[in-house]
Amino acid sequence: MNILFEHRLNELQVHKTKELSFPPHLHSEIEVLVVTKGSITIINEGEMRQIHKGQTAIIFPNSIHEYVKQSSGEMVMYIVNTQIVPEFHAIFSNKLPVDFVIDTQKIETQLTEINQYFLGFRQTKAEMLSRAYLHLFFALLLNNLPLHSRPKTQAPSTVVQVIRYVSEHFTEPLDLQSVASEVGCSVYTVSRIFSHKIKIGFRNYLNQMRVDYSRRLLRETDLKIVDIALECGFETLRSFNRAFTRTYNQTPSEYRQR
Amino acid sequence: MNILFEHRLNELQVHKTKELSFPPHLHSEIEVLVVTKGSITIINEGEMRQIHKGQTAIIFPNSIHEYVKQSSGEMVMYIVNTQIVPEFHAIFSNKLPVDFVIDTQKIETQLTEINQYFLGFRQTKAEMLSRAYLHLFFALLLNNLPLHSRPKTQAPSTVVQVIRYVSEHFTEPLDLQSVASEVGCSVYTVSRIFSHKIKIGFRNYLNQMRVDYSRRLLRETDLKIVDIALECGFETLRSFNRAFTRTYNQTPSEYRQR
């Protein structure tokens, strides 16, 4: 879907984050949330769960997930390309967790050490050590995670098709019409999916996906801001600046300089 | 060399040990000594070193190494088949450390945790987790270990040829004559190598190799003691019992029952 993504971005992102709010989306990376304070609320594949300190959520690749705004929690978020944990490639491709929330109090010491390691530097430089810590990270998590086989793919619902299509194509020029024709339904249906199911307007949704991706490019590349705007699917620098500032209360260049 | 070894024994041994004395020998496994108290003395590839608490020795595959008796040290000893750490296969096959003794004080917390994990159970059951901890163990060690390429193999000295031959064939019927004819020198030369270089008589050396191997079989298999005796190269149960008791101050069956 995206050339930059393949060639320039890190295969691992680790952030400490407080407030987390994001509409339903999916991606091929594994996402892990180690909650370190308070609680957060996630909806994963339609299942809403409140996740507390001492628990960890593990979102398997291509699962539709959503973060519901709550300001009481702190967490360390891992977004990991499955290719850098080849040990578990088969598991992440063929299995799904019976329950995506794990009690991690027993392994809290180890998780604290691993979090400290990854939060200790902005970019993943010491590859050998990072791979080893990731290997241990997932071994500790999967060791206590009952799994079942991924169900045979049924025809996905229109809602799932819409989310999947936009998640995979948000860097391209998109409008309700093009999404509708790709998914094979009416513009009216797509519009109602956004307002009634995803509960956020199409334009807003698209901007959220785009500004979130732009933050990675701002952090991890030296691309000019205007090029990032275009790369993320914005038509002008102005529309990028406006959307970014509305979401994060700072301009892209302020964010980059931080 | 040995069918049992291939099929029945663990690919990983971890022991806490106090006294360590062993004549020069080699094997295809990696051997790591994490010194946790006092100091021990090793000769590795002809280089004698005293290794203290806060240091770790890493013996690469097929290096001739020897433990000199000292009673003041405590250590955790890892003997690891390179096949269970595929991440570092190329390193262990093609490289050698510039210095085989590493200062490990900076990673003492992690080593303590890893030691505790492996000493916590007799046999390696939780494979997924054990492999991850081993991966981290070697990543931490190798991260601070300058390496150079293995030198092109020169013709090994007669001493090296003798040690190598006996290390690889000690479970077979061996005498000075058969070693001499395999290595291509006189019985007199082999005999002098043992008394002057290895500084232990041939019979004693052979018994040391055999009783050491018998301990693995006693621990890790359910073989009858008489079968272990034969498997290790002893001609009779009686000679096995005698050699074992002389070395370890207990009979093989006492050792197994502990």
Side-chain angles (χ1 to χ4, degrees), chain A residues 87-88 91 110 113 126 128-129 131-133 135-136 138-140 142-143, chain B residues 87-88 91 110 113 126 128-129 131-133 135-136 139-140 142-143:
Chain A
E87 300 84 5
F88 305 118
I91 288 179
Q110 292 96 320
E113 182 195 323
M128 184 171 68
L129 213 48
R131 279 175 192 266
Y133 269 112
H135 186 170
L136 180 62
F138 284 112
L140 288 165
L142 293 172
N143 198 38
Chain B
E87 300 84 4
F88 305 118
I91 289 179
Q110 292 95 322
E113 181 195 322
M128 183 171 69
L129 212 48
R131 279 176 192 267
Y133 269 113
H135 185 171
L136 180 62
L140 288 164
L142 294 173
N143 198 38

PDB file of all heavy atoms in Angstrom, chain A residues 87-88 91 110 113 126 128-129 131-133 135-136 138-140 142-143, chain B residues 87-88 91 110 113 126 128-129 131-133 135-136 139-140 142-143:
ATOM      1  N   GLU A  87      10.077 -15.860  15.308  1.00  0.00           N
ATOM      2  CA  GLU A  87       9.775 -16.993  16.177  1.00  0.00           C
ATOM      3  C   GLU A  87       8.264 -17.232  16.278  1.00  0.00           C
ATOM      4  O   GLU A  87       7.830 -18.365  16.509  1.00  0.00           O
ATOM      5  CB  GLU A  87      10.315 -16.736  17.589  1.00  0.00           C
ATOM      6  CG  GLU A  87      11.827 -16.534  17.679  1.00  0.00           C
ATOM      7  CD  GLU A  87      12.294 -15.106  17.382  1.00  0.00           C
ATOM      8  OE1 GLU A  87      11.416 -14.228  17.189  1.00  0.00           O
ATOM      9  OE2 GLU A  87      13.509 -14.879  17.327  1.00  0.00           O
ATOM     10  N   PHE A  88       7.484 -16.171  16.154  1.00  0.00           N
ATOM     11  CA  PHE A  88       6.048 -16.290  16.398  1.00  0.00           C
ATOM     12  C   PHE A  88       5.214 -16.018  15.150  1.00  0.00           C
ATOM     13  O   PHE A  88       4.017 -15.798  15.227  1.00  0.00           O
ATOM     14  CB  PHE A  88       5.635 -15.339  17.534  1.00  0.00           C
ATOM     15  CG  PHE A  88       6.433 -15.566  18.779  1.00  0.00           C
ATOM     16  CD1 PHE A  88       7.244 -14.571  19.307  1.00  0.00           C
ATOM     17  CD2 PHE A  88       6.391 -16.792  19.414  1.00  0.00           C
ATOM     18  CE1 PHE A  88       7.991 -14.791  20.450  1.00  0.00           C
ATOM     19  CE2 PHE A  88       7.145 -17.029  20.558  1.00  0.00           C
ATOM     20  CZ  PHE A  88       7.946 -16.024  21.083  1.00  0.00           C
ATOM     21  N   ILE A  91       2.197 -18.240  14.744  1.00  0.00           N
ATOM     22  CA  ILE A  91       1.141 -17.941  15.714  1.00  0.00           C
ATOM     23  C   ILE A  91       0.349 -16.713  15.281  1.00  0.00           C
ATOM     24  O   ILE A  91      -0.880 -16.723  15.249  1.00  0.00           O
ATOM     25  CB  ILE A  91       1.744 -17.728  17.119  1.00  0.00           C
ATOM     26  CG1 ILE A  91       2.221 -19.069  17.693  1.00  0.00           C
ATOM     27  CG2 ILE A  91       0.712 -17.084  18.067  1.00  0.00           C
ATOM     28  CD1 ILE A  91       2.865 -18.969  19.061  1.00  0.00           C
ATOM     29  N   GLN A 110       9.518  -8.438  34.758  1.00  0.00           N
ATOM     30  CA  GLN A 110      10.120  -8.572  33.432  1.00  0.00           C
ATOM     31  C   GLN A 110       9.578  -7.502  32.468  1.00  0.00           C
ATOM     32  O   GLN A 110      10.336  -6.913  31.699  1.00  0.00           O
ATOM     33  CB  GLN A 110       9.841  -9.966  32.849  1.00  0.00           C
ATOM     34  CG  GLN A 110      10.549 -11.094  33.580  1.00  0.00           C
ATOM     35  CD  GLN A 110       9.670 -11.759  34.632  1.00  0.00           C
ATOM     36  OE1 GLN A 110       8.919 -11.089  35.338  1.00  0.00           O
ATOM     37  NE2 GLN A 110       9.773 -13.068  34.747  1.00  0.00           N
ATOM     38  N   GLU A 113      11.175  -4.170  33.090  1.00  0.00           N
ATOM     39  CA  GLU A 113      12.538  -4.127  32.542  1.00  0.00           C
ATOM     40  C   GLU A 113      12.515  -3.951  31.022  1.00  0.00           C
ATOM     41  O   GLU A 113      13.265  -3.153  30.460  1.00  0.00           O
ATOM     42  CB  GLU A 113      13.260  -5.426  32.912  1.00  0.00           C
ATOM     43  CG  GLU A 113      14.697  -5.488  32.446  1.00  0.00           C
ATOM     44  CD  GLU A 113      15.254  -6.906  32.496  1.00  0.00           C
ATOM     45  OE1 GLU A 113      14.902  -7.655  33.437  1.00  0.00           O
ATOM     46  OE2 GLU A 113      16.002  -7.273  31.579  1.00  0.00           O
ATOM     47  N   ALA A 126      20.222  -0.837  18.731  1.00  0.00           N
ATOM     48  CA  ALA A 126      20.935  -2.071  19.071  1.00  0.00           C
ATOM     49  C   ALA A 126      20.093  -3.270  18.654  1.00  0.00           C
ATOM     50  O   ALA A 126      19.455  -3.923  19.446  1.00  0.00           O
ATOM     51  CB  ALA A 126      21.224  -2.121  20.564  1.00  0.00           C
ATOM     52  N   MET A 128      20.450  -6.397  17.728  1.00  0.00           N
ATOM     53  CA  MET A 128      20.570  -7.736  18.283  1.00  0.00           C
ATOM     54  C   MET A 128      19.845  -7.832  19.620  1.00  0.00           C
ATOM     55  O   MET A 128      19.078  -8.756  19.873  1.00  0.00           O
ATOM     56  CB  MET A 128      22.054  -8.076  18.463  1.00  0.00           C
ATOM     57  CG  MET A 128      22.297  -9.472  18.953  1.00  0.00           C
ATOM     58  SD  MET A 128      24.063  -9.887  18.886  1.00  0.00           S
ATOM     59  CE  MET A 128      24.725  -8.810  20.150  1.00  0.00           C
ATOM     60  N   LEU A 129      20.089  -6.833  20.469  1.00  0.00           N
ATOM     61  CA  LEU A 129      19.491  -6.826  21.795  1.00  0.00           C
ATOM     62  C   LEU A 129      17.984  -6.576  21.710  1.00  0.00           C
ATOM     63  O   LEU A 129      17.199  -7.199  22.431  1.00  0.00           O
ATOM     64  CB  LEU A 129      20.176  -5.736  22.621  1.00  0.00           C
ATOM     65  CG  LEU A 129      20.335  -5.964  24.105  1.00  0.00           C
ATOM     66  CD1 LEU A 129      20.897  -7.330  24.408  1.00  0.00           C
ATOM     67  CD2 LEU A 129      21.241  -4.890  24.690  1.00  0.00           C
ATOM     68  N   ARG A 131      15.905  -7.321  19.286  1.00  0.00           N
ATOM     69  CA  ARG A 131      15.216  -8.536  18.842  1.00  0.00           C
ATOM     70  C   ARG A 131      15.092  -9.547  19.969  1.00  0.00           C
ATOM     71  O   ARG A 131      14.071 -10.217  20.119  1.00  0.00           O
ATOM     72  CB  ARG A 131      15.975  -9.184  17.678  1.00  0.00           C
ATOM     73  CG  ARG A 131      15.680  -8.521  16.357  1.00  0.00           C
ATOM     74  CD  ARG A 131      16.547  -9.111  15.242  1.00  0.00           C
ATOM     75  NE  ARG A 131      16.454  -8.298  14.060  1.00  0.00           N
ATOM     76  CZ  ARG A 131      15.588  -8.524  13.054  1.00  0.00           C
ATOM     77  NH1 ARG A 131      14.776  -9.552  13.117  1.00  0.00           N
ATOM     78  NH2 ARG A 131      15.546  -7.725  12.016  1.00  0.00           N
ATOM     79  N   ALA A 132      16.145  -9.658  20.766  1.00  0.00           N
ATOM     80  CA  ALA A 132      16.113 -10.606  21.886  1.00  0.00           C
ATOM     81  C   ALA A 132      15.061 -10.191  22.916  1.00  0.00           C
ATOM     82  O   ALA A 132      14.307 -11.021  23.412  1.00  0.00           O
ATOM     83  CB  ALA A 132      17.487 -10.703  22.535  1.00  0.00           C
ATOM     84  N   TYR A 133      15.008  -8.881  23.227  1.00  0.00           N
ATOM     85  CA  TYR A 133      14.007  -8.417  24.189  1.00  0.00           C
ATOM     86  C   TYR A 133      12.588  -8.588  23.643  1.00  0.00           C
ATOM     87  O   TYR A 133      11.667  -8.939  24.375  1.00  0.00           O
ATOM     88  CB  TYR A 133      14.263  -6.953  24.572  1.00  0.00           C
ATOM     89  CG  TYR A 133      15.150  -6.796  25.780  1.00  0.00           C
ATOM     90  CD1 TYR A 133      16.437  -6.265  25.674  1.00  0.00           C
ATOM     91  CD2 TYR A 133      14.713  -7.187  27.042  1.00  0.00           C
ATOM     92  CE1 TYR A 133      17.254  -6.125  26.785  1.00  0.00           C
ATOM     93  CE2 TYR A 133      15.524  -7.044  28.158  1.00  0.00           C
ATOM     94  CZ  TYR A 133      16.789  -6.509  28.023  1.00  0.00           C
ATOM     95  OH  TYR A 133      17.592  -6.376  29.135  1.00  0.00           O
ATOM     96  N   HIS A 135      11.662 -10.895  21.508  1.00  0.00           N
ATOM     97  CA  HIS A 135      11.425 -12.343  21.571  1.00  0.00           C
ATOM     98  C   HIS A 135      10.924 -12.718  22.977  1.00  0.00           C
ATOM     99  O   HIS A 135       9.909 -13.397  23.136  1.00  0.00           O
ATOM    100  CB  HIS A 135      12.731 -13.072  21.219  1.00  0.00           C
ATOM    101  CG  HIS A 135      12.619 -14.562  21.110  1.00  0.00           C
ATOM    102  ND1 HIS A 135      13.627 -15.344  20.616  1.00  0.00           N
ATOM    103  CD2 HIS A 135      11.631 -15.431  21.449  1.00  0.00           C
ATOM    104  CE1 HIS A 135      13.260 -16.617  20.652  1.00  0.00           C
ATOM    105  NE2 HIS A 135      12.062 -16.705  21.159  1.00  0.00           N
ATOM    106  N   LEU A 136      11.633 -12.224  23.978  1.00  0.00           N
ATOM    107  CA  LEU A 136      11.236 -12.513  25.362  1.00  0.00           C
ATOM    108  C   LEU A 136       9.880 -11.903  25.689  1.00  0.00           C
ATOM    109  O   LEU A 136       9.031 -12.534  26.333  1.00  0.00           O
ATOM    110  CB  LEU A 136      12.306 -11.989  26.335  1.00  0.00           C
ATOM    111  CG  LEU A 136      12.011 -12.235  27.818  1.00  0.00           C
ATOM    112  CD1 LEU A 136      11.918 -13.731  28.130  1.00  0.00           C
ATOM    113  CD2 LEU A 136      13.083 -11.584  28.703  1.00  0.00           C
ATOM    114  N   PHE A 138       7.280 -11.272  23.758  1.00  0.00           N
ATOM    115  CA  PHE A 138       6.154 -12.049  23.239  1.00  0.00           C
ATOM    116  C   PHE A 138       6.101 -13.455  23.839  1.00  0.00           C
ATOM    117  O   PHE A 138       5.021 -14.017  24.017  1.00  0.00           O
ATOM    118  CB  PHE A 138       6.189 -12.097  21.708  1.00  0.00           C
ATOM    119  CG  PHE A 138       5.726 -10.807  21.086  1.00  0.00           C
ATOM    120  CD1 PHE A 138       6.603  -9.991  20.401  1.00  0.00           C
ATOM    121  CD2 PHE A 138       4.404 -10.397  21.221  1.00  0.00           C
ATOM    122  CE1 PHE A 138       6.169  -8.791  19.843  1.00  0.00           C
ATOM    123  CE2 PHE A 138       3.964  -9.201  20.676  1.00  0.00           C
ATOM    124  CZ  PHE A 138       4.851  -8.398  19.981  1.00  0.00           C
ATOM    125  N   ALA A 139       7.261 -14.033  24.157  1.00  0.00           N
ATOM    126  CA  ALA A 139       7.241 -15.358  24.797  1.00  0.00           C
ATOM    127  C   ALA A 139       6.539 -15.280  26.149  1.00  0.00           C
ATOM    128  O   ALA A 139       5.727 -16.131  26.496  1.00  0.00           O
ATOM    129  CB  ALA A 139       8.659 -15.900  24.955  1.00  0.00           C
ATOM    130  N   LEU A 140       6.832 -14.226  26.920  1.00  0.00           N
ATOM    131  CA  LEU A 140       6.193 -14.050  28.227  1.00  0.00           C
ATOM    132  C   LEU A 140       4.682 -13.861  28.061  1.00  0.00           C
ATOM    133  O   LEU A 140       3.886 -14.438  28.803  1.00  0.00           O
ATOM    134  CB  LEU A 140       6.779 -12.836  28.946  1.00  0.00           C
ATOM    135  CG  LEU A 140       8.200 -12.981  29.494  1.00  0.00           C
ATOM    136  CD1 LEU A 140       8.793 -11.614  29.844  1.00  0.00           C
ATOM    137  CD2 LEU A 140       8.225 -13.886  30.729  1.00  0.00           C
ATOM    138  N   LEU A 142       2.716 -14.666  25.311  1.00  0.00           N
ATOM    139  CA  LEU A 142       2.039 -15.806  24.677  1.00  0.00           C
ATOM    140  C   LEU A 142       2.024 -17.037  25.578  1.00  0.00           C
ATOM    141  O   LEU A 142       1.168 -17.897  25.444  1.00  0.00           O
ATOM    142  CB  LEU A 142       2.720 -16.146  23.341  1.00  0.00           C
ATOM    143  CG  LEU A 142       2.574 -15.079  22.244  1.00  0.00           C
ATOM    144  CD1 LEU A 142       3.432 -15.419  21.029  1.00  0.00           C
ATOM    145  CD2 LEU A 142       1.111 -14.913  21.815  1.00  0.00           C
ATOM    146  N   ASN A 143       2.984 -17.088  26.494  1.00  0.00           N
ATOM    147  CA  ASN A 143       3.042 -18.215  27.421  1.00  0.00           C
ATOM    148  C   ASN A 143       1.770 -18.324  28.268  1.00  0.00           C
ATOM    149  O   ASN A 143       1.421 -19.390  28.749  1.00  0.00           O
ATOM    150  CB  ASN A 143       4.254 -18.050  28.334  1.00  0.00           C
ATOM    151  CG  ASN A 143       4.654 -19.339  29.009  1.00  0.00           C
ATOM    152  OD1 ASN A 143       4.582 -20.397  28.397  1.00  0.00           O
ATOM    153  ND2 ASN A 143       5.059 -19.257  30.259  1.00  0.00           N
TER     154      ASN A 143
ATOM    155  N   GLU B  87      19.609 -17.773  16.195  1.00  0.00           N
ATOM    156  CA  GLU B  87      19.912 -16.352  15.955  1.00  0.00           C
ATOM    157  C   GLU B  87      21.427 -16.122  15.859  1.00  0.00           C
ATOM    158  O   GLU B  87      21.866 -15.189  15.195  1.00  0.00           O
ATOM    159  CB  GLU B  87      19.361 -15.495  17.096  1.00  0.00           C
ATOM    160  CG  GLU B  87      17.849 -15.574  17.292  1.00  0.00           C
ATOM    161  CD  GLU B  87      17.394 -16.762  18.147  1.00  0.00           C
ATOM    162  OE1 GLU B  87      18.262 -17.501  18.671  1.00  0.00           O
ATOM    163  OE2 GLU B  87      16.174 -16.955  18.267  1.00  0.00           O
ATOM    164  N   PHE B  88      22.214 -16.936  16.576  1.00  0.00           N
ATOM    165  CA  PHE B  88      23.644 -16.668  16.660  1.00  0.00           C
ATOM    166  C   PHE B  88      24.483 -17.776  16.018  1.00  0.00           C
ATOM    167  O   PHE B  88      25.677 -17.867  16.251  1.00  0.00           O
ATOM    168  CB  PHE B  88      24.048 -16.470  18.126  1.00  0.00           C
ATOM    169  CG  PHE B  88      23.236 -15.392  18.795  1.00  0.00           C
ATOM    170  CD1 PHE B  88      22.429 -15.679  19.878  1.00  0.00           C
ATOM    171  CD2 PHE B  88      23.263 -14.096  18.304  1.00  0.00           C
ATOM    172  CE1 PHE B  88      21.668 -14.685  20.474  1.00  0.00           C
ATOM    173  CE2 PHE B  88      22.497 -13.095  18.887  1.00  0.00           C
ATOM    174  CZ  PHE B  88      21.703 -13.391  19.979  1.00  0.00           C
ATOM    175  N   ILE B  91      27.514 -16.540  14.123  1.00  0.00           N
ATOM    176  CA  ILE B  91      28.559 -16.035  15.015  1.00  0.00           C
ATOM    177  C   ILE B  91      29.347 -17.188  15.629  1.00  0.00           C
ATOM    178  O   ILE B  91      30.576 -17.207  15.600  1.00  0.00           O
ATOM    179  CB  ILE B  91      27.947 -15.142  16.122  1.00  0.00           C
ATOM    180  CG1 ILE B  91      27.469 -13.819  15.517  1.00  0.00           C
ATOM    181  CG2 ILE B  91      28.957 -14.886  17.251  1.00  0.00           C
ATOM    182  CD1 ILE B  91      26.821 -12.871  16.508  1.00  0.00           C
ATOM    183  N   GLN B 110      19.994  -8.512  34.841  1.00  0.00           N
ATOM    184  CA  GLN B 110      19.402  -9.399  33.844  1.00  0.00           C
ATOM    185  C   GLN B 110      19.950 -10.824  33.974  1.00  0.00           C
ATOM    186  O   GLN B 110      19.200 -11.797  33.883  1.00  0.00           O
ATOM    187  CB  GLN B 110      19.691  -8.888  32.421  1.00  0.00           C
ATOM    188  CG  GLN B 110      18.977  -7.593  32.068  1.00  0.00           C
ATOM    189  CD  GLN B 110      19.835  -6.359  32.305  1.00  0.00           C
ATOM    190  OE1 GLN B 110      20.587  -6.304  33.284  1.00  0.00           O
ATOM    191  NE2 GLN B 110      19.738  -5.380  31.433  1.00  0.00           N
ATOM    192  N   GLU B 113      18.350 -12.641  36.832  1.00  0.00           N
ATOM    193  CA  GLU B 113      16.987 -13.079  36.491  1.00  0.00           C
ATOM    194  C   GLU B 113      17.029 -14.323  35.585  1.00  0.00           C
ATOM    195  O   GLU B 113      16.276 -15.277  35.793  1.00  0.00           O
ATOM    196  CB  GLU B 113      16.263 -11.924  35.787  1.00  0.00           C
ATOM    197  CG  GLU B 113      14.823 -12.251  35.414  1.00  0.00           C
ATOM    198  CD  GLU B 113      14.275 -11.245  34.401  1.00  0.00           C
ATOM    199  OE1 GLU B 113      14.602 -10.047  34.516  1.00  0.00           O
ATOM    200  OE2 GLU B 113      13.538 -11.670  33.500  1.00  0.00           O
ATOM    201  N   ALA B 126       9.388 -25.478  29.466  1.00  0.00           N
ATOM    202  CA  ALA B 126       8.679 -24.384  28.795  1.00  0.00           C
ATOM    203  C   ALA B 126       9.521 -23.876  27.637  1.00  0.00           C
ATOM    204  O   ALA B 126      10.160 -22.848  27.710  1.00  0.00           O
ATOM    205  CB  ALA B 126       8.385 -23.265  29.781  1.00  0.00           C
ATOM    206  N   MET B 128       9.195 -22.441  24.716  1.00  0.00           N
ATOM    207  CA  MET B 128       9.073 -21.114  24.109  1.00  0.00           C
ATOM    208  C   MET B 128       9.791 -20.063  24.941  1.00  0.00           C
ATOM    209  O   MET B 128      10.562 -19.257  24.433  1.00  0.00           O
ATOM    210  CB  MET B 128       7.593 -20.767  23.969  1.00  0.00           C
ATOM    211  CG  MET B 128       7.340 -19.456  23.294  1.00  0.00           C
ATOM    212  SD  MET B 128       5.587 -19.223  22.912  1.00  0.00           S
ATOM    213  CE  MET B 128       4.895 -19.038  24.546  1.00  0.00           C
ATOM    214  N   LEU B 129       9.545 -20.127  26.243  1.00  0.00           N
ATOM    215  CA  LEU B 129      10.127 -19.152  27.152  1.00  0.00           C
ATOM    216  C   LEU B 129      11.644 -19.372  27.289  1.00  0.00           C
ATOM    217  O   LEU B 129      12.421 -18.427  27.325  1.00  0.00           O
ATOM    218  CB  LEU B 129       9.433 -19.290  28.511  1.00  0.00           C
ATOM    219  CG  LEU B 129       9.277 -18.033  29.342  1.00  0.00           C
ATOM    220  CD1 LEU B 129       8.719 -16.883  28.530  1.00  0.00           C
ATOM    221  CD2 LEU B 129       8.355 -18.316  30.529  1.00  0.00           C
ATOM    222  N   ARG B 131      13.744 -20.645  25.108  1.00  0.00           N
ATOM    223  CA  ARG B 131      14.435 -20.161  23.919  1.00  0.00           C
ATOM    224  C   ARG B 131      14.556 -18.641  23.943  1.00  0.00           C
ATOM    225  O   ARG B 131      15.577 -18.072  23.562  1.00  0.00           O
ATOM    226  CB  ARG B 131      13.684 -20.574  22.646  1.00  0.00           C
ATOM    227  CG  ARG B 131      13.982 -21.989  22.240  1.00  0.00           C
ATOM    228  CD  ARG B 131      13.140 -22.397  21.032  1.00  0.00           C
ATOM    229  NE  ARG B 131      13.219 -23.821  20.829  1.00  0.00           N
ATOM    230  CZ  ARG B 131      14.090 -24.408  20.017  1.00  0.00           C
ATOM    231  NH1 ARG B 131      14.927 -23.688  19.327  1.00  0.00           N
ATOM    232  NH2 ARG B 131      14.117 -25.713  19.906  1.00  0.00           N
ATOM    233  N   ALA B 132      13.499 -17.973  24.402  1.00  0.00           N
ATOM    234  CA  ALA B 132      13.523 -16.505  24.460  1.00  0.00           C
ATOM    235  C   ALA B 132      14.564 -16.032  25.478  1.00  0.00           C
ATOM    236  O   ALA B 132      15.334 -15.108  25.210  1.00  0.00           O
ATOM    237  CB  ALA B 132      12.141 -15.974  24.813  1.00  0.00           C
ATOM    238  N   TYR B 133      14.604 -16.688  26.637  1.00  0.00           N
ATOM    239  CA  TYR B 133      15.602 -16.299  27.645  1.00  0.00           C
ATOM    240  C   TYR B 133      17.021 -16.581  27.152  1.00  0.00           C
ATOM    241  O   TYR B 133      17.942 -15.815  27.415  1.00  0.00           O
ATOM    242  CB  TYR B 133      15.343 -17.011  28.974  1.00  0.00           C
ATOM    243  CG  TYR B 133      14.438 -16.229  29.907  1.00  0.00           C
ATOM    244  CD1 TYR B 133      13.170 -16.698  30.232  1.00  0.00           C
ATOM    245  CD2 TYR B 133      14.854 -15.023  30.470  1.00  0.00           C
ATOM    246  CE1 TYR B 133      12.335 -15.977  31.086  1.00  0.00           C
ATOM    247  CE2 TYR B 133      14.033 -14.305  31.324  1.00  0.00           C
ATOM    248  CZ  TYR B 133      12.775 -14.784  31.628  1.00  0.00           C
ATOM    249  OH  TYR B 133      11.956 -14.076  32.470  1.00  0.00           O
ATOM    250  N   HIS B 135      17.974 -16.569  24.018  1.00  0.00           N
ATOM    251  CA  HIS B 135      18.228 -15.543  23.000  1.00  0.00           C
ATOM    252  C   HIS B 135      18.707 -14.257  23.682  1.00  0.00           C
ATOM    253  O   HIS B 135      19.730 -13.681  23.314  1.00  0.00           O
ATOM    254  CB  HIS B 135      16.926 -15.320  22.219  1.00  0.00           C
ATOM    255  CG  HIS B 135      17.047 -14.386  21.052  1.00  0.00           C
ATOM    256  ND1 HIS B 135      16.038 -14.208  20.148  1.00  0.00           N
ATOM    257  CD2 HIS B 135      18.038 -13.559  20.640  1.00  0.00           C
ATOM    258  CE1 HIS B 135      16.403 -13.321  19.226  1.00  0.00           C
ATOM    259  NE2 HIS B 135      17.608 -12.911  19.507  1.00  0.00           N
ATOM    260  N   LEU B 136      17.998 -13.859  24.726  1.00  0.00           N
ATOM    261  CA  LEU B 136      18.377 -12.644  25.452  1.00  0.00           C
ATOM    262  C   LEU B 136      19.738 -12.809  26.129  1.00  0.00           C
ATOM    263  O   LEU B 136      20.578 -11.908  26.102  1.00  0.00           O
ATOM    264  CB  LEU B 136      17.306 -12.284  26.488  1.00  0.00           C
ATOM    265  CG  LEU B 136      17.596 -11.033  27.318  1.00  0.00           C
ATOM    266  CD1 LEU B 136      17.685  -9.789  26.435  1.00  0.00           C
ATOM    267  CD2 LEU B 136      16.509 -10.824  28.386  1.00  0.00           C
ATOM    268  N   ALA B 139      22.372 -12.481  23.549  1.00  0.00           N
ATOM    269  CA  ALA B 139      22.391 -11.112  23.004  1.00  0.00           C
ATOM    270  C   ALA B 139      23.082 -10.174  23.990  1.00  0.00           C
ATOM    271  O   ALA B 139      23.901  -9.332  23.604  1.00  0.00           O
ATOM    272  CB  ALA B 139      20.976 -10.639  22.703  1.00  0.00           C
ATOM    273  N   LEU B 140      22.769 -10.320  25.276  1.00  0.00           N
ATOM    274  CA  LEU B 140      23.399  -9.480  26.296  1.00  0.00           C
ATOM    275  C   LEU B 140      24.902  -9.722  26.338  1.00  0.00           C
ATOM    276  O   LEU B 140      25.702  -8.788  26.429  1.00  0.00           O
ATOM    277  CB  LEU B 140      22.799  -9.778  27.674  1.00  0.00           C
ATOM    278  CG  LEU B 140      21.372  -9.276  27.929  1.00  0.00           C
ATOM    279  CD1 LEU B 140      20.765  -9.957  29.157  1.00  0.00           C
ATOM    280  CD2 LEU B 140      21.340  -7.770  28.088  1.00  0.00           C
ATOM    281  N   LEU B 142      26.893 -11.186  23.892  1.00  0.00           N
ATOM    282  CA  LEU B 142      27.580 -10.879  22.634  1.00  0.00           C
ATOM    283  C   LEU B 142      27.604  -9.386  22.342  1.00  0.00           C
ATOM    284  O   LEU B 142      28.477  -8.903  21.624  1.00  0.00           O
ATOM    285  CB  LEU B 142      26.917 -11.635  21.471  1.00  0.00           C
ATOM    286  CG  LEU B 142      27.057 -13.161  21.521  1.00  0.00           C
ATOM    287  CD1 LEU B 142      26.217 -13.819  20.437  1.00  0.00           C
ATOM    288  CD2 LEU B 142      28.527 -13.587  21.361  1.00  0.00           C
ATOM    289  N   ASN B 143      26.635  -8.677  22.909  1.00  0.00           N
ATOM    290  CA  ASN B 143      26.575  -7.230  22.704  1.00  0.00           C
ATOM    291  C   ASN B 143      27.842  -6.525  23.209  1.00  0.00           C
ATOM    292  O   ASN B 143      28.176  -5.445  22.754  1.00  0.00           O
ATOM    293  CB  ASN B 143      25.348  -6.678  23.444  1.00  0.00           C
ATOM    294  CG  ASN B 143      24.958  -5.302  22.953  1.00  0.00           C
ATOM    295  OD1 ASN B 143      25.033  -5.023  21.757  1.00  0.00           O
ATOM    296  ND2 ASN B 143      24.554  -4.445  23.870  1.00  0.00           N
TER     297      ASN B 143
END
